[in-house]
Amino acid sequence: MSGSIYRRMGQLMFHYWPYIIISSVSAIVFVLLNSTSMWLVASLINNVLSDFEKIVQSQAEWEKLMPDVTMNEKLKYWTNKLILRETPAESLKVLCITLLGVFFTKNIFLYIKNILLRIVELKLVKNIRDRLYQHIQTLSLGYFNTKETGYITSIVMNDVGQFQSAVGVVFQRLFVEPINILTFVTLLFIISWKLAIIAIVILPLAGITIVTIGRSIRRKSRRTQTKIAEIMQILTETLSSIRIVKAFVNEKEEVKKFTGESQNYFNLLLQRARLDLISGPVTESFGVIIGVVLLWYGGMEVLSNEGLSAEDFIRFIVILFAILGPIKQMSNVNIKIQMGAASAERIFGLLDTPPEIVEKADAVDLGEFRQSIEFDRVHFEYNDGDERVLDEVSFTINKGEVVAMVGPSGSGKSTIADLIPRFYDVSRGTIRIDGHDIRETTLASIRGNMGIVTQEVILFNDTIRNNIAYGQPNVSEEAIRQAADAANATTFIEETTHEFDTLIGERGVNLSGGQKQRLAIARALLKNPPILILDEATSALDTESEKMVQRAIEVLIKDRTALVIAHRLSTVQNADKIIVLEKGEIIEVGSHTDLYNKGGLYRRLYDIQFE
């Protein structure tokens, strides 16, 4: 799994290869200039501390022996060639100006490298969030029945944010520090291969420690991201149900539940922080061990005049301590990669979730609804056969008919309403619209023919106008007002502060149940669909609101094909046909009068309501 995650992370980054290539070139130039600056700093110290005449003499000797001198001597020769002048003061002046120019130029390339990589980082994260959101839109309702809102939100926000942090660190350090370290190590070998080998022998110990810490952090990062998803779910549920929480005086229990999960999250973060923060001191400790060992060994060589000059030792020590910074930075890179990989697993897990409702490549367009909706021996189960909902259901709704569907709770009425627009696929059997199996037709042509009004009205935190015109951006103002008027909504809209420009709050919290329902009906009227599905559209309303909504529904279903699902049987007496369901099976079909006179389940339900 890990290899696959890293490969996919790399594939995402590859899309931005022009930025990465230019940034990499800038990084290489920066590293070369950075190494040059370290070499020049050592030369500056040597220039100040050493005998100037001795430096000039050495320079003359190297020039005579060229090109047979060592690489170390060649580098010193070219450095002196660049900075040596007639007097020590002039040489020092040239060295300082050169050093200033090198530092200034390397920082320009550092900025170019950083800004390009930041662009890649931000583009990458935007692309991932966009892909996640687009993919979420393709998932069927069944997915959202099994995954909490907090879980999905946590992936889109927290995991992508964690991934962004990891990518940022990787880009900013992984592209520079390894080259930096390699260059410095090369210079160390050029100066003294014996001392360089001592340093390299100790470094793997630090590497093993860092990798071990990184693996542990990745495991804890997985648990941390899961825990924050649970916290977000508690927060989302509580905020959306705050009225019930207060009504049942359950604030203390909700606070207790939240603080308990928050404490667990704190414990996970603390464990991860302990590992994260220990990596720096561990790396630095290894660095100090290396430095002390080399100071002692190299210092002894200088004092005994055995193969290492004071100038080389100074240069070696300057570069050695310069290399500790990149090594320390690299220690945190592995930790960030592990944290990012843990988040990437959840991100790719969501992206890899296949939609259950898939449109065929050769799906046909239904066009405008013309004839009938037919259920042919439809069987439906939730959860892979664990829960049977419909069994051998067959009926036909002809164009222009108003068909009502009644029955006890759990009899399968709302499931039928969800199957027609293909929110779910049937387990067995066929649903046809105008003779076409809906699994062979495009989703847009199915749902484009339908308007749906449910008991739980879904409105958005936007203006009344935009809620009515949802999904129809180019509709005229006059059409919006006509739809509102037909839905008996104009009166209450005009009583609001800004009329059609009034913000209704999250899920329409600033409106009553009847007002929200009339906005939903106005939205359906504006769409003007040939097929209407009304799922318990008035069951949650008081008597006065129900009358107003019922009048709006009468306008809505006029000259349309309608499937009306209702508990209140008074609202379906005028239907052309009433279908009675019980335990997922059709047990009665007929008009109100026929079913009542028959004395079956419909009559029992009717008598109970009007007893």
Side-chain angles (χ1 to χ4, degrees):
M1 181 65 178
S2 296
S4 174
I5 289 294
Y6 295 136
R7 184 176 65 254
R8 294 182 68 174
M9 290 168 68
Q11 288 171 347
L12 286 174
M13 298 174 193
F14 184 74
H15 290 296
Y16 308 101
W17 63 267
Y19 293 96
I20 294 174
I21 287 176
I22 297 173
S23 181
S24 299
V25 171
S26 299
I28 292 171
V29 174
F30 164 76
V31 168
L32 293 176
L33 291 173
N34 190 46
S35 301
T36 302
S37 67
M38 291 299 102
W39 188 274
L40 289 174
V41 166
S43 298
L44 175 63
I45 297 172
N46 184 60
N47 187 276
V48 172
L49 298 179
S50 299
D51 183 356
F52 183 74
E53 295 299 329
K54 187 177 179 181
I55 296 175
V56 173
Q57 182 181 350
S58 298
Q59 185 73 357
E61 291 175 358
W62 290 331
E63 190 167 10
K64 290 178 183 178
L65 296 174
M66 282 290 183
D68 297 327
V69 296
T70 65
M71 180 59 69
N72 182 32
E73 290 170 337
K74 285 180 180 178
L75 287 176
K76 288 191 286 185
Y77 170 79
W78 288 110
T79 303
N80 290 336
K81 188 85 171 175
L82 176 68
I83 63 176
L84 275 182
R85 293 298 181 267
E86 296 297 326
T87 65
E90 289 179 359
S91 298
L92 183 60
K93 178 182 176 182
V94 171
L95 177 57
C96 291
I97 293 173
T98 304
L99 200 58
L100 184 63
V102 169
F103 269 93
F104 182 75
T105 307
K106 82 167 185 178
N107 283 316
I108 290 176
F109 282 97
L110 178 63
Y111 174 78
I112 294 172
K113 183 269 297 182
N114 286 342
I115 192 64
L116 290 177
L117 290 183
R118 182 56 61 87
I119 290 172
V120 172
E121 172 194 337
L122 296 176
K123 281 180 174 285
L124 179 63
V125 169
K126 178 186 180 299
N127 179 41
I128 291 174
R129 277 213 175 98
D130 290 348
R131 284 181 58 188
L132 280 171
Y133 190 76
Q134 290 168 10
H135 184 68
I136 288 169
Q137 299 296 327
T138 69
L139 297 175
S140 61
L141 291 182
Y143 178 82
F144 300 99
N145 292 337
T146 58
K147 296 294 184 182
E148 300 89 350
T149 303
Y151 171 83
I152 300 171
T153 305
S154 177
I155 291 177
V156 175
M157 300 309 297
N158 293 321
D159 282 304
V160 174
Q162 186 70 64
F163 184 75
Q164 176 181 1
S165 176
V167 168
V169 170
V170 169
F171 275 162
Q172 299 301 332
R173 295 179 186 169
L174 197 59
F175 276 34
V176 175
E177 307 306 353
I179 307 174
N180 228 349
I181 292 170
L182 183 62
T183 306
F184 284 145
V185 168
T186 302
L187 291 177
L188 291 180
F189 269 96
I190 289 172
I191 297 168
S192 173
W193 63 268
K194 293 179 181 179
L195 295 182
I197 287 176
I198 294 173
I200 289 176
V201 167
I202 301 175
L203 280 177
L205 299 176
I208 294 170
T209 305
I210 291 165
V211 170
T212 304
I213 292 173
R215 288 174 180 169
S216 181
I217 284 180
R218 181 172 178 178
R219 291 192 298 270
K220 287 176 172 55
S221 292
R222 290 196 197 103
R223 296 200 292 268
T224 300
Q225 295 304 96
T226 301
K227 187 59 64 178
I228 192 61
E230 294 172 2
I231 290 175
M232 291 189 71
Q233 180 60 28
I234 293 173
L235 183 61
T236 302
E237 285 184 346
T238 303
L239 293 178
S240 62
S241 310
I242 193 67
R243 186 185 299 272
I244 298 300
V245 173
K246 290 184 176 297
F248 282 82
V249 198
N250 205 43
E251 294 93 339
K252 289 184 178 179
E253 283 301 315
E254 292 296 335
V255 170
K256 182 180 177 182
K257 182 166 64 173
F258 183 87
T259 54
E261 292 297 329
S262 182
Q263 180 63 40
N264 292 334
Y265 182 57
F266 165 80
N267 292 337
L268 285 171
L269 286 178
L270 183 58
Q271 291 172 20
R272 194 174 75 181
R274 285 170 180 162
L275 290 171
D276 191 357
L277 297 175
I278 197 65
S279 63
V282 166
T283 307
E284 192 164 324
S285 297
F286 278 111
V288 170
I289 292 171
I290 295 170
V292 169
V293 171
L294 294 178
L295 275 172
W296 178 81
Y297 183 83
M300 291 299 293
E301 279 203 345
V302 172
L303 293 174
S304 60
N305 294 317
E306 295 179 0
L308 191 66
S309 67
E311 176 187 353
D312 286 337
F313 183 60
I314 291 171
R315 186 171 278 112
F316 190 94
I317 293 301
V318 169
I319 294 175
L320 176 67
F321 281 98
I323 205 175
L324 293 180
I327 290 175
K328 187 175 181 180
Q329 296 291 343
M330 286 295 294
S331 70
N332 292 327
V333 167
N334 182 57
I335 291 169
K336 293 296 183 182
I337 288 175
Q338 297 305 321
M339 292 166 63
S343 293
E345 286 178 1
R346 286 161 54 87
I347 292 169
F348 291 131
L350 177 52
L351 286 174
D352 291 341
T353 302
E356 295 176 12
I357 307 302
V358 180
E359 187 177 283
K360 291 189 175 181
D362 57 349
V364 299
D365 192 307
L366 276 177
E368 187 174 348
F369 175 65
R370 297 181 302 276
Q371 299 172 0
S372 64
I373 302 169
E374 180 186 358
F375 274 58
D376 183 9
R377 302 172 67 85
V378 168
H379 185 95
F380 181 75
E381 298 170 341
Y382 286 113
N383 302 328
D384 300 324
D386 293 339
E387 185 182 346
R388 191 193 72 175
V389 181
L390 298 177
D391 188 22
E392 301 293 321
V393 170
S394 298
F395 65 89
T396 300
I397 304 174
N398 294 312
K399 183 176 182 180
E401 278 189 332
V402 176
V403 175
M405 197 160 286
V406 300
S409 296
S411 58
K413 305 184 298 296
S414 293
T415 299
I416 289 175
D418 286 339
L419 288 174
I420 294 175
R422 206 184 167 201
F423 292 149
Y424 301 94
D425 270 339
V426 299
S427 303
R428 293 198 305 272
T430 309
I431 301 174
R432 300 184 186 90
I433 298 179
D434 290 344
H436 297 284
D437 186 332
I438 62 173
R439 290 168 294 190
E440 308 291 334
T441 60
T442 63
L443 292 172
S445 66
I446 298 172
R447 296 169 186 173
N449 275 295
M450 298 178 188
I452 302 173
V453 181
T454 61
Q455 173 184 343
E456 183 185 3
V457 181
I458 305 299
L459 296 174
F460 300 91
N461 187 16
D462 206 337
T463 63
I464 291 174
R465 174 185 289 100
N466 290 341
N467 271 281
I468 295 175
Y470 182 75
Q472 301 174 80
N474 299 319
V475 72
S476 67
E477 180 73 17
E478 182 182 358
I480 293 173
R481 291 182 178 273
Q482 287 177 352
D485 192 48
N488 285 330
T490 304
T491 302
F492 87 79
I493 291 173
E494 290 177 344
E495 291 174 354
T496 60
T497 307
H498 302 292
E499 299 188 358
F500 282 86
D501 292 317
T502 299
L503 290 170
I504 63 173
E506 186 177 2
R507 301 178 71 86
V509 69
N510 297 330
L511 304 177
S512 68
Q515 290 170 340
K516 288 190 285 188
Q517 197 64 276
R518 278 177 277 167
L519 284 188
I521 291 171
R523 183 167 60 195
L525 279 165
L526 188 63
K527 186 178 181 182
N528 195 26
I531 302 171
L532 280 170
I533 299 174
L534 306 177
D535 188 1
E536 308 283 5
T538 63
S539 63
L541 304 179
D542 58 77
T543 304
E544 183 179 354
S545 296
E546 181 186 359
K547 289 180 179 179
M548 299 188 73
V549 171
Q550 191 61 43
R551 286 198 294 270
I553 288 175
E554 290 170 3
V555 174
L556 182 63
I557 65 177
K558 186 178 180 181
D559 300 324
R560 287 184 175 89
T561 305
L563 174 65
V564 181
I565 297 172
H567 276 303
R568 297 186 182 180
L569 302 187
S570 60
T571 62
V572 301
Q573 293 182 33
N574 296 325
D576 297 308
K577 180 166 57 182
I578 298 174
I579 299 173
V580 184
L581 285 167
E582 185 177 33
K583 295 181 179 179
E585 299 179 3
I586 295 177
I587 59 172
E588 295 176 337
V589 180
S591 67
H592 166 72
T593 303
D594 293 340
L595 293 177
Y596 188 81
N597 292 334
K598 187 177 180 181
L601 177 60
Y602 179 82
R603 178 164 183 167
R604 292 201 304 274
L605 293 172
Y606 189 89
D607 289 343
I608 289 171
Q609 287 192 17
F610 295 97
E611 190 174 33

